Amino acid sequence: MSDKRAETSVRIHEIIASRWSPRLLDDEAEVSGEKLRALLEAARWAPSYGNTQPARYLVGLRGDGTYKRVLDSLTESNRSWAHRAGALLLACALTSNDKGTVPYAEYGVGLATENLVLQAVAEGLVARQMAGFDREAARKAFDLPSGVEPLVVIAVGVPAKPDAPGEDGDVERENAPRTRVPLSEFAFKEWGSAAF
C-alpha cells in the first residue's frame, strides 16, 4: 500500500493523518473478532444528541450470511472490490425510540462511524464507507423495522500490497494523490473571509 498520509498545514494526530479509504484489500486477510469488537466499542462511545445513541450496525464477516446480504445490496461497482473485505458492516440510524423522533440521528451515526474508522486505523486495518448500495434491498434482506434507516456500508479489511492485482483502474486510483479543499476555503471568520 502506498503512503497516503495527509499533507497538512500543522501536525495532526497520526491516526487521522494516515486514515484513507482504499479499495485494494487483501482478500485472504481476516478481520479478527477482537479487532472488530474494538471498532464497534469505539463507535458505541461516540457522542450523540442528548445521548440518544442512534447508531446500529449489522456486522458480517467474510463467508457468513450477513456478509453476503450486505455484499448483495451493493452497486456492481462497489461489489467489484468490496468482496475482498474481511468484514462488511451496514450502518443504520435509529430514527425513533419510545420518546419519539430521534433528533440528528444521521449525524450521530456519522460520529459513531468516524470513531469506528479511526479505531480501524489504530488496529492496523482500513475502512471504506460506501453510499452505493440499494437501501430498500438492504431493508428487505434484514427485515429492518420502521424507524431504522440504512445509511452506509463500511468495508473493513487489510490493505493489499501495492503490486496486488485489482480491477482495471484500481491501482492507478489507489496511488493517486489525496486532495482536500485548502483550509483557507474551509474555515472562515465570516463567510468568504478565511480564518487561517
Side-chain angles (χ1 to χ4, degrees):
M1 178 176 73
S2 62
D3 181 10
K4 300 286 271 198
R5 191 170 321 308
E7 292 184 22
T8 58
S9 61
V10 295
R11 186 178 178 278
I12 62 174
H13 196 284
E14 182 60 23
I15 288 175
I16 298 169
S18 60
R19 186 225 55 85
W20 71 293
S21 303
R23 290 178 184 87
L24 283 180
L25 303 174
D26 184 335
D27 61 1
E28 295 181 6
E30 305 262 334
V31 174
S32 72
E34 182 178 347
K35 286 185 177 185
L36 194 52
R37 188 177 186 129
L39 271 60
L40 292 161
E41 276 292 349
R44 189 170 76 97
W45 284 98
S48 61
Y49 174 87
N51 198 27
T52 49
Q53 304 172 48
R56 299 294 186 271
Y57 297 88
L58 289 155
V59 181
L61 286 169
R62 188 187 306 119
D64 73 18
T66 301
Y67 185 101
K68 182 178 180 344
R69 286 183 283 169
V70 174
L71 185 66
D72 287 348
S73 75
L74 294 176
T75 61
E76 185 177 332
S77 62
N78 280 333
R79 269 196 315 272
S80 73
W81 64 266
H83 67 90
R84 297 187 291 256
L88 291 174
L89 289 75
L90 175 61
C92 299
L94 191 64
T95 60
S96 62
N97 60 24
D98 56 352
K99 295 179 182 176
T101 300
V102 175
Y104 304 105
E106 287 189 17
Y107 186 70
V109 175
L111 291 168
T113 299
E114 180 66 1
N115 272 17
L116 184 151
V117 168
L118 293 176
Q119 185 66 36
V121 175
E123 299 291 336
L125 301 169
V126 292
R128 183 179 181 91
Q129 301 161 68
M130 299 167 272
F133 74 104
D134 184 329
R135 288 181 181 207
E136 287 311 309
R139 178 183 299 289
K140 187 177 285 189
F142 291 104
D143 195 24
L144 297 178
S146 63
V148 176
E149 292 299 321
L151 295 181
V152 68
V153 172
I154 307 150
V156 178
V158 174
K161 292 182 172 69
D163 59 350
E167 305 297 321
D168 290 340
D170 279 351
V171 174
E172 293 81 15
R173 200 169 35 217
E174 296 299 281
N175 290 316
R178 294 173 63 199
T179 61
R180 290 293 188 273
V181 171
L183 199 57
S184 62
E185 296 176 21
F186 181 84
F188 307 107
K189 290 182 179 181
E190 293 183 35
W191 196 259
S193 175
F196 298 97

